Amino acid sequence: GKELGRGHIRRFESHMATQAVRQLELERDLRRALQEGQFRLVYQPQVALDKAELIGFEALLRWRHPERGEIAPNDFIPFAEQTGIICRIGEWALDCAIWQIKAWHEAGLALVPISVNVSALQLAQPLFAQTVIARLDALPAYLRSQIALELTESTLMHEQALDSVHQLTEAEIPIFMDDFGTGYSNLSTISQLALSKLKFDRSLIKNIGNDAAHQRVCRALLDLADALALDVIAEGVETQEEAQWLAQQGVLYAQGYWFSRPLESQIAAQHLKPKTK
Ligand code: C2E
Ligand code: CA
Ligand code: CA
Ligand code: CA
């Protein structure tokens, strides 16, 4: 019994050690990824539901690890948040999106806004809003209005985060509430923020075309969005039935595989029209 027990503990300890080593490796790899340019952004079209016309792109982070290949954001962002390195990755993402807008402008393309995801930890930094505002203020006017920020409701639990959002909206930076309808919703908080759009989470949209109970829940949340005078972007629209039902309900905007997967920047550019003079 005891022998077995001790063996157990040893295995457990070595498991913990392996975990710790893995985490250290991942942290080192994330730093290196920033230094060595292993991150890139891909761009998923956001469309107007009536004409399927492009109205914006969401910038989504991609990491090509030199040995492990492509690693999905959900496999490293939670860890990057734990270690705090997400703040530098987030700064990189914002800079990259700004650089991309400039490049498209210089290529003579008519711009649509790019929305950039912001993590809870970034928003909780006292200087975050000021830094972003200064960064955008330094840009030519045509560029300033082309960046929006996406944040989730769960990032708003702290006073500092709310303060950041107030500063950003006062500076007229569009804020999209991401993953709306998941987890808790603090409606009084949401109603007090000058948000630009609500992004309805994919879990609200999935199979919406043929499930009456599901439709009623979604309809109630759409009424809520109406009451808050907020436009909705439906996320994760995968089928024509979903798109049709949403359009019938008066939803203006959507994003999802039915319209397009996230696109590499060169492909995304092909969806932009030439600037009309
Ligand atoms: P999110 O912000 O909710 O982004 C939407 C996710 O849904 C993306 O996954 C997108 O590829 C995926 N998606 C889009 N349309 C569909 C669809 O029709 N069906 C399905 N099943 N999925 C769809 P992705 O790119 O893997 O990103 C996952 C999450 O990682 C994002 O969720 C976001 O929370 C986070 N993330 C991505 N880029 C960044 C970033 O630059 N900064 C931060 N802080 N987080 C990021
Ligand atoms: Ca998002
Ligand atoms: Ca989302
Ligand atoms: Ca999400």
Side-chain angles (χ1 to χ4, degrees):
K2 267 182 190 153
E3 283 308 310
L4 233 181
R6 223 172 279 139
H8 234 79
I9 287 167
R10 223 173 287 127
R11 271 199 300 281
F12 179 67
E13 280 173 346
S14 87
H15 173 71
M16 296 233 305
T18 319
Q19 282 275 90
V21 168
R22 281 231 186 87
Q23 301 240 311
L24 279 173
E25 274 173 8
L26 185 54
E27 196 175 348
R28 181 204 62 199
D29 285 0
L30 283 167
R31 276 178 219 295
R32 201 171 282 169
L34 273 171
Q35 283 159 8
E36 295 180 4
Q38 294 165 13
F39 291 120
R40 71 187 189 285
L41 293 179
V42 291
Y43 299 90
Q44 188 175 33
Q46 298 167 335
V47 303
L49 266 168
D50 55 351
K51 292 175 276 175
E53 194 181 50
L54 184 73
I55 59 131
F57 285 118
E58 177 177 6
L60 293 160
L61 194 61
R62 293 292 178 267
W63 180 15
R64 188 170 292 138
H65 189 285
E67 288 112 42
R68 291 160 63 198
E70 292 279 343
I71 305 181
N74 288 333
D75 292 333
F76 68 87
I77 285 177
F79 179 77
E81 269 167 356
Q82 276 172 43
T83 59
I85 198 174
I86 191 66
C87 290
R88 283 170 53 208
I89 297 175
E91 257 171 57
W92 176 87
L94 180 65
D95 283 347
C96 182
I98 291 172
W99 176 89
Q100 186 63 77
I101 296 261
K102 270 189 194 157
W104 284 339
H105 177 78
E106 278 156 21
L109 299 171
L111 299 174
V112 295
I114 293 180
S115 59
V116 177
N117 289 284
V118 171
S119 95
L121 200 65
Q122 285 177 280
L123 210 62
Q125 307 289 314
L127 291 178
F128 174 72
Q130 256 175 271
T131 312
V132 171
I133 292 165
R135 183 83 180 80
L136 293 178
D137 274 352
L139 300 172
Y142 75 85
L143 235 161
R144 218 173 291 157
S145 53
Q146 301 296 334
I147 295 282
L149 301 178
E150 296 198 2
L151 14 132
T152 60
E153 294 171 79
S154 57
T155 62
L156 300 177
M157 289 192 295
H158 302 288
E159 207 51 46
Q160 180 58 57
L162 286 172
D163 195 50
S164 298
V165 176
H166 283 300
Q167 289 181 54
L168 293 165
T169 54
E170 246 155 60
E172 288 174 31
I173 298 167
I175 305 289
F176 298 174
M177 187 55 57
D178 205 354
D179 299 353
F180 180 75
T182 61
Y184 92 115
S185 280
N186 189 334
L187 296 177
S188 79
T189 300
I190 287 182
S191 68
Q192 282 163 35
L193 297 172
L195 298 174
S196 172
K197 291 186 170 64
L198 286 183
K199 295 191 78 177
F200 271 40
D201 191 73
R202 171 170 151 68
S203 58
L204 292 170
I205 309 302
K206 209 178 169 195
N207 300 323
I208 198 73
N210 46 39
D211 179 335
H214 200 154
Q215 287 176 355
R216 284 194 298 275
V217 172
C218 193
R219 185 60 253 170
L221 290 172
L222 289 170
D223 290 338
L224 179 69
D226 281 345
L228 295 169
L230 288 171
D231 284 340
V232 169
I233 303 183
E235 284 197 280
V237 177
E238 288 188 351
T239 67
Q240 187 171 28
E241 292 72 49
E242 290 165 359
Q244 272 170 355
W245 187 84
L246 291 160
Q248 280 162 14
Q249 300 301 310
V251 174
L252 296 180
Y253 309 114
Q255 184 181 334
Y257 295 166
W258 173 252
F259 300 100
S260 173
R261 300 232 161 208
L263 305 170
E264 299 294 336
S265 62
Q266 319 84 272
I267 312 285
Q270 294 170 9
H271 291 248
L272 295 170
K273 296 190 184 109
K275 219 171 347 200
T276 50
K277 301 248 165 75

